[in-house]
């Protein structure tokens, strides 16, 4: 059994298309998306036909909850005025360009998915098992905190997204916490790559095998389409350079120091 | 302390943040607005030893504490502060609230090495109160602005990105101009990508004399908590360890009813929101945290 997990798509239908084809070539049995279909990129409605055509199992992120319910804010949880300024631009664009049918689809998505993977109980959530828009960064989560989440939410493998940067922590008793990364934008590492996650049953007794998969999609085309849609130059710069230029103030010190801005 | 009949209580949902009053109320500065009136002479709370901190760190594992905060007073007056942070970084993320005036290269070299070796972030929050000596020093003392700026540069030189924290001692209408001016000041001082955190003032301690205390009607009522997400109140996710026991939050250590017990395990009960400071927490969210707890009231529908 081999499964693929996508994090935030942020309107990046080009990366989504590439990732779906890549995952299928790797022989996955199912594909899951952990929410936040919109934000940041161009042409929101181009994401949904791909999700439907390839039977991607989706849960609701905070962006989806906001777009689906036509709220006036993305609920991303920014506190800095500059971060919020850019968040408002991409939210207004996405809300305006998401069809009523797709808003209804987002509104009706489940907020978590659970299933068994061999002997492991898997829990898919957007931010954290306890809050859709909670940021769980690698450098601000003690291991015993993650153990508590696994205990309290009765899961052996928790998969989440929301922060935009992938990471993985092994827990006790063969349990795992995984941030699957995002397809929507690069992860502040100076490359144009975006990432998804593969989970596979191992033949040995070592438990499931986890692998982060880089996605080399046509980022130049995405950037050109963003420019033609008049999206901010700051976003386009990130698509090219891989360095975040916005949403910086939510980053903890370690993750912030690893970036350029 | 007795509570009004309608004073609502808040239960601890999960102990996300464990604070340590690591320098007690001892500080090398005597700021005019300090909410617990810290000073070189105020030893009503004393230093925590490494051994005392270690005991609570060990206790915190079973409770699933997410991150650790250190405050005072001035934490770096505690001679064991570097060892305390080194040990904490083996457990989880650590944030230390400092006035930035007593930092030494030798300590920062050690802490740089400890932060590099840890999975977790080590954050420094440096407190100032104005963006020039003319605005800062009347509140925090002569020469403290320049000393704090030297501390900030020293942290940056050691690869840290300190969060400069200022209490809002200016009018709301001046905020943008004041913040922009400060960012310029920090960049000129050598901090190219400054991180800022602006806090409301708390009408407690020395600030009560500088301006005024809380009015009697500035209290949280049960009615105010209807449809309100209590997760952004610090008492729903934090406790603070002092040398006199475990208290509900860093703001209220001088309130009798805020002492909840000796150990963490016996400090997990509900807390009554009976104080003016609870009103500030209600208004602004858990201002003491770095930024991880946000207001999460559902936004209104777009018009």
């Amino acid at each position: 059994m081999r499964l693929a997990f996508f994090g935030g798509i942020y309107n990046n239908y080009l990366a989504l298309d590439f990732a779906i084809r890549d995952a299928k070539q790797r022989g996955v049995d199912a594909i899951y998306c952990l929410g936040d279909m919109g934000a940041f990129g161009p042409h929101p409605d181009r994401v949904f036909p791909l999700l439907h055509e390839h039977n991607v199992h989706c849960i609701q992120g905070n962006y989806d909850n906001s777009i689906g319910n036509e709220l006036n804010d993305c609920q991303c949880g920014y506190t800095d005025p500059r971060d919020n300024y850019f968040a408002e631009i991409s939210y207004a664009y996405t809300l305006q360009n998401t069809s009523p049918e797709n808003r209804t689809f987002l509104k009706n998505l489940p907020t978590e998915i659970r299933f068994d993977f061999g002997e492991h109980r898997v829990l898919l959530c957007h931010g954290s098992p306890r809050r859709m828009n909670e940021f769980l960064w690698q450098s601000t989560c003690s291991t015993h905190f993650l153990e508590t989440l696994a205990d309290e939410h009765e899961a052996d493998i928790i998969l989440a997204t929301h922060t935009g940067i992938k990471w993985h922590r092994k827990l006790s008793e063969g349990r795992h916490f995984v941030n699957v990364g995002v397809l929507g934008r690069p992860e502040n590492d100076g490359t144009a790559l975006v990432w998804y996650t593969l989970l596979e049953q191992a033949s040995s007794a070592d438990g499931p095998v986890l692998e982060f998969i880089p996605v080399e999609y046509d980022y130049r085309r995405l950037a050109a389409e963003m420019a033609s849609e008049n999206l901010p130059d700051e976003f386009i710069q990130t698509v090219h350079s891989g360095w975040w230029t916005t949403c910086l103030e939510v980053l903890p010190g370690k993750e912030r120091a690893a970036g350029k801005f | 302390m007795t509570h009004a009949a309608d004073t609502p209580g808040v239960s601890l949902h999960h102990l996300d943040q464990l604070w340590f009053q690591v320098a007690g109320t001892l500080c090398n500065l005597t700021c005019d607005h300090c909410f617990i009136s810290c000073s070189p002479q105020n030893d009503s709370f004393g230093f925590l030893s490494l051994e005392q901190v270690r005991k609570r760190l060990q206790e915190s594992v079973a409770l699933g504490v997410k991150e650790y905060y250190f405050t005072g007073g001035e934490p770096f007056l505690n001679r064991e502060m570097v060892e305390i942070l080194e040990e904490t970084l083996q457990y989880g993320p650590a944030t230390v609230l400092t006035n930035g005036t007593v930092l030494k290269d030798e300590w920062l070299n050690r802490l740089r090495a400890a932060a590099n070796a840890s999975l977790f972030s080590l954050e420094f929050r440096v407190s100032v109160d104005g963006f020039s000596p003319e605005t800062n020093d009347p509140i925090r003392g002569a020469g403290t602005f320049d000393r704090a700026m030297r501390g900030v540069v020293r942290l940056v030189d050691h690869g840290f990105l300190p969060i400069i924290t200022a209490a809002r001692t200016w009018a709301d209408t001046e905020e943008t101009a004041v913040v922009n001016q400060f960012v310029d000041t920090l960049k000129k001082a050598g901090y190219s990508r400054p991180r800022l955190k602006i806090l409301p003032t708390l009408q407690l301690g020395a600030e009560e004399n500088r301006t005024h205390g809380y009015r009697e009607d500035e209290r949280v009522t049960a009615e105010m908590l209807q449809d309100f997400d209590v997760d952004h109140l610090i008492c729903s996710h934090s406790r603070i360890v002092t040398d006199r026991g475990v208290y509900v939050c860093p703001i209220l250590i001088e309130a009798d009813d805020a002492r909840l017990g000796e150990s963490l395990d016996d400090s997990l009960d509900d807390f009554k929101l009976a104080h003016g400071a609870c009103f500030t927490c209600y208004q602004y969210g858990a201002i003491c945290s770095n930024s991880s707890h946000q207001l999460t009231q559902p936004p209104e529908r777009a018009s």
Side-chain angles (χ1 to χ4, degrees):
Chain A
M1 177 75 87
R2 185 179 288 179
L3 305 176
F5 300 94
F6 300 162
I9 299 171
Y10 310 159
N11 298 336
N12 190 343
Y13 72 97
L14 295 169
L16 174 63
D17 183 48
F18 190 105
I20 289 170
R21 284 186 282 119
D22 187 78
K24 291 200 162 181
Q25 278 173 8
R26 293 169 191 268
V28 298
D29 297 286
I31 303 175
Y32 295 86
C33 177
L34 275 52
D36 278 5
M37 314 312 170
F40 191 72
H43 308 305
D45 277 344
R46 295 186 186 178
V47 163
F48 299 93
L50 292 167
L51 296 176
H52 300 319
E53 180 187 345
H54 298 282
N55 194 28
V56 177
H57 307 284
C58 298
I59 62 171
Q60 188 182 63
N62 53 284
Y63 224 91
D64 311 317
N65 181 274
S66 288
I67 296 285
N69 291 290
E70 298 178 49
L71 306 183
N72 63 6
D73 171 79
C74 66
Q75 307 178 81
C76 291
Y78 302 132
T79 52
D80 178 73
R82 184 175 178 277
D83 287 350
N84 277 321
Y85 167 78
F86 285 106
E88 285 164 16
I89 291 174
S90 70
Y91 185 71
Y93 171 82
T94 303
L95 184 62
Q96 189 180 353
N97 291 286
T98 304
S99 72
E101 294 76 20
N102 290 330
R103 287 183 202 166
T104 302
F105 169 75
L106 294 173
K107 183 178 181 176
N108 293 326
L109 288 174
T111 55
E112 66 172 43
I113 292 177
R114 290 175 181 268
F115 57 87
D116 289 337
F117 187 68
E119 294 178 351
H120 292 79
R121 299 163 301 172
V122 173
L123 168 58
L124 312 184
C125 55
H126 181 73
S128 82
R130 61 186 188 174
R131 185 180 287 274
M132 189 185 280
N133 69 348
E134 181 173 16
F135 290 108
L136 296 183
W137 305 98
Q138 181 169 28
S139 85
T140 56
C141 291
S142 74
T143 302
H144 39 271
F145 166 70
L146 299 171
E147 299 273 9
T148 310
L149 285 185
D151 289 341
E152 291 178 353
H153 296 273
E154 300 177 337
D156 302 312
I157 304 175
I158 299 174
L159 298 111
T161 177
H162 188 55
T163 64
I165 301 178
K166 66 184 184 313
W167 59 282
H168 169 218
R169 186 90 47 86
K170 286 186 178 177
L171 307 177
S172 64
E173 300 169 24
R175 301 185 298 181
H176 301 263
F177 180 88
V178 187
N179 186 313
V180 303
V182 294
L183 292 176
R185 69 169 179 172
E187 58 174 20
N188 202 23
D189 63 354
T191 81
L193 296 173
V194 296
W195 298 79
Y196 74 95
T197 297
L198 275 186
L199 186 68
E200 189 171 6
Q201 291 282 21
S203 50
S204 69
D206 292 342
V209 175
L210 191 92
E211 188 179 358
F212 293 123
I213 308 294
V215 176
E216 295 182 64
Y217 73 105
D218 188 351
Y219 69 89
R220 290 183 184 85
R221 180 175 160 192
L222 185 82
E225 292 185 8
M226 289 168 75
S228 68
E229 289 293 288
N230 294 316
L231 289 165
D233 288 342
E234 286 81 356
F235 294 177
I236 296 165
Q237 190 185 335
T238 296
V239 169
H240 279 290
S241 71
W243 298 118
W244 291 6
T245 56
T246 60
C247 315
L248 289 164
E249 301 307 325
V250 293
L251 284 167
K254 212 179 232 316
E255 284 82 353
R256 180 80 182 259
K260 184 177 179 183
F261 298 107
Chain B
M1 174 170 183
T2 57
H3 299 119
D6 68 340
T7 303
V10 169
S11 61
L12 182 69
H13 293 177
H14 184 264
L15 187 57
D16 279 8
Q17 298 171 358
L18 183 58
W19 287 71
F20 292 92
Q21 190 74 23
V22 75
T25 41
L26 290 155
C27 190
N28 57 318
L29 305 183
T30 309
C31 301
D32 273 354
H33 68 346
C34 183
F35 59 87
I36 46 175
S37 309
C38 296
S39 74
Q41 293 81 36
N42 186 354
D43 59 358
S44 56
F45 287 84
F47 293 127
L48 287 171
S49 68
L50 173 61
E51 192 51 45
Q52 288 171 305
V53 172
R54 179 180 290 145
K55 193 172 168 185
R56 298 299 166 222
L57 287 172
Q58 290 167 348
E59 193 185 359
S60 78
V61 172
L63 294 166
V65 169
K66 184 171 179 245
E67 48 188 337
Y68 303 93
Y69 286 79
F70 296 87
T71 188
E74 167 49 46
F76 284 97
L77 295 184
N78 186 324
R79 289 172 185 273
E80 294 184 293
M81 195 61 223
V82 173
E83 288 84 352
I84 286 170
L85 289 172
E86 286 172 334
E87 184 143 336
T88 302
L89 285 169
Q90 296 173 32
Y91 284 81
T95 296
V96 56
L97 280 58
T98 173
N99 60 38
T101 63
V102 297
L103 300 172
K104 292 183 179 173
D105 286 335
E106 176 200 339
W107 301 342
L108 295 183
N109 286 333
R110 282 178 60 183
L111 292 173
R112 180 72 265 161
N116 287 348
S118 174
L119 267 180
F120 308 113
S121 276
L122 171 59
E123 301 278 20
F124 290 85
R125 291 219 324 239
V126 178
S127 306
V128 293
D129 279 298
F131 303 142
S132 66
E134 290 72 32
T135 51
N136 177 84
D137 292 3
I139 296 172
R140 301 182 78 84
T144 54
F145 182 78
D146 288 341
R147 289 168 66 194
M149 286 301 104
R150 285 198 293 274
V152 166
V153 170
R154 187 165 270 159
L155 285 163
V156 172
D157 287 346
H158 285 81
F160 294 107
L161 299 173
I163 300 167
I164 318 299
T165 307
R168 186 179 285 112
T169 50
W170 51 82
D172 287 353
T173 51
E174 297 170 23
E175 178 113 341
T176 303
V178 165
V179 167
N180 288 342
Q181 184 192 340
F182 188 44
V183 167
D184 285 346
T185 303
L186 287 165
K187 287 184 174 174
K188 280 180 192 151
Y191 190 7
S192 62
R193 41 178 171 164
R195 301 160 80 200
L196 293 186
K197 181 177 174 66
I198 312 285
L199 299 172
T201 55
L202 293 150
Q203 307 304 135
L204 295 172
E207 176 70 7
E208 203 168 333
N209 298 325
R210 194 180 77 93
T211 54
H212 56 82
Y214 286 98
R215 297 190 313 266
E216 278 300 308
D217 63 344
E218 290 180 314
R219 294 293 185 275
V220 180
T221 65
E223 187 183 359
M224 289 160 66
L225 290 186
Q226 284 176 10
D227 300 322
F228 178 81
D229 182 356
V230 295
D231 276 356
H232 86 268
L233 299 175
I234 191 169
C235 51
S236 75
H237 56 261
S238 303
R239 293 292 184 259
I240 181 163
V241 176
T242 77
D243 69 330
R244 289 163 47 183
V246 179
Y247 285 67
V248 67
C249 82
I251 308 301
L252 292 175
I253 59 170
E254 291 181 317
D256 292 341
D257 65 329
R259 186 185 186 281
L260 300 178
E262 189 60 34
S263 68
L264 294 182
D265 257 343
D266 53 32
S267 304
L268 307 177
D269 288 344
D270 293 7
F271 182 70
K272 293 274 189 190
L273 302 177
H275 299 269
C278 304
F279 186 75
T280 298
C281 200
Y282 175 89
Q283 285 179 299
Y284 294 96
I287 57 174
C288 308
S289 318
N290 289 343
S291 70
S292 56
H293 272 79
Q294 309 301 337
L295 278 169
T296 52
Q297 297 297 95
E300 294 172 2
R301 284 175 67 90
S303 53

